[in-house]
């Protein structure tokens, strides 16, 4: 699978959030091109820890306890993780983080220096992710 195909899985999850009137953020975690878990944001409806990333990491831990420290895990998310989610991603030792768009309000890159032990790439399907967020906030206003 290509990076774009993997990000499309996360984008599909974000669309589920939008249908549920939640902030449209989706996540997919892969191991050597195999989809392990996927999730979408449930923050508004539930507690703060129900960010898409936190849900995905919780699912991963429950489903694959032996994968916690595997080096080839890749996380794809439609928006830059917040500092809390980035900390969880780092704690889980995810080695590759891909996101569509920067989170100018609370994205981790505003607060921390990127460490060398994680590969980070932004911009995958950014227009699609921007469109989802725009439609969500347009409806709210």
């Amino acid at each position: 699978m290509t990076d774009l195909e993997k990000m499309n899985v996360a984008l599909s999850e974000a669309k589920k959030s939008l249908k549920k009137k939640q902030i449209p953020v989706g996540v997919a975690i892969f191991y050597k091109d195999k989809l392990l878990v996927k999730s979408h944001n449930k923050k508004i409806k539930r507690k703060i820890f129900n960010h898409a990333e936190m849900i995905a990491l919780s699912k991963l831990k429950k489903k694959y306890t032996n994968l916690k420290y595997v080096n080839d895990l890749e996380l794809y998310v439609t928006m830059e993780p917040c500092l809390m989610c980035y900390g969880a991603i780092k704690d889980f030792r995810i080695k590759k983080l891909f996101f569509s768009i920067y989170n100018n309000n609370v994205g981790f890159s505003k607060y921390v220096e990127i460490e060398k032990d994680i590969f980070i790439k932004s911009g995958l399907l950014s227009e699609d992710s921007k469109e989802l967020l725009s439609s969500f906030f347009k409806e709210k206003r």
Side-chain angles (χ1 to χ4, degrees):
M1 288 183 91
T2 67
D3 290 337
L4 288 176
E5 290 170 324
K6 292 174 184 178
M7 187 59 80
N8 258 316
V9 175
L11 192 64
S12 293
E13 285 295 305
K15 290 175 183 175
K16 290 179 185 178
S17 286
L18 186 62
K19 285 180 183 176
K20 296 176 183 177
K21 301 190 184 300
Q22 306 297 311
I23 296 172
V25 176
V27 172
I29 300 177
F30 289 85
Y31 174 69
K32 295 185 178 180
D33 289 337
K34 178 185 175 193
L35 175 64
L36 299 181
V37 296
K38 57 187 178 176
S39 67
H40 54 277
N41 202 356
K42 297 178 183 173
K43 182 181 172 199
I44 294 173
K45 190 174 183 179
R46 308 231 172 139
K47 298 177 183 175
I48 191 167
F49 296 109
N50 284 335
H51 290 196
E53 300 93 331
M54 300 301 277
I55 295 168
L57 292 171
S58 292
K59 284 182 178 182
L60 187 68
K61 185 176 181 181
K62 287 178 187 173
K63 194 172 178 181
Y64 300 100
T65 55
N66 60 333
L67 287 182
K68 184 170 182 183
Y69 299 112
V70 172
N71 291 332
D72 295 329
L73 292 179
E74 300 174 343
L75 189 143
Y76 292 77
V77 60
T78 55
M79 185 165 43
E80 176 188 14
C82 69
L83 191 56
M84 173 186 71
C85 291
Y86 179 71
I89 290 165
K90 292 284 296 165
D91 188 51
F92 218 87
R93 298 185 184 175
I94 301 279
K95 290 298 179 186
K96 294 181 181 178
L97 170 62
F98 299 84
F99 61 90
S100 295
I101 58 175
Y102 282 91
N103 182 340
N104 294 326
N105 295 326
V106 295
F108 73 88
S109 64
K110 287 177 65 172
Y111 303 102
V112 298
E113 188 174 316
I114 307 302
E115 298 175 35
K116 295 178 183 175
D117 61 339
I118 185 169
F119 172 84
I120 298 173
K121 182 176 181 180
S122 64
L124 295 174
L125 300 178
S126 60
E127 291 304 315
D128 297 312
S129 292
K130 283 179 192 173
E131 186 179 314
L132 282 178
L133 281 169
S134 293
S135 64
F136 173 80
F137 286 110
K138 190 177 198 180
E139 185 178 305
K140 291 287 178 192
R141 294 181 180 139

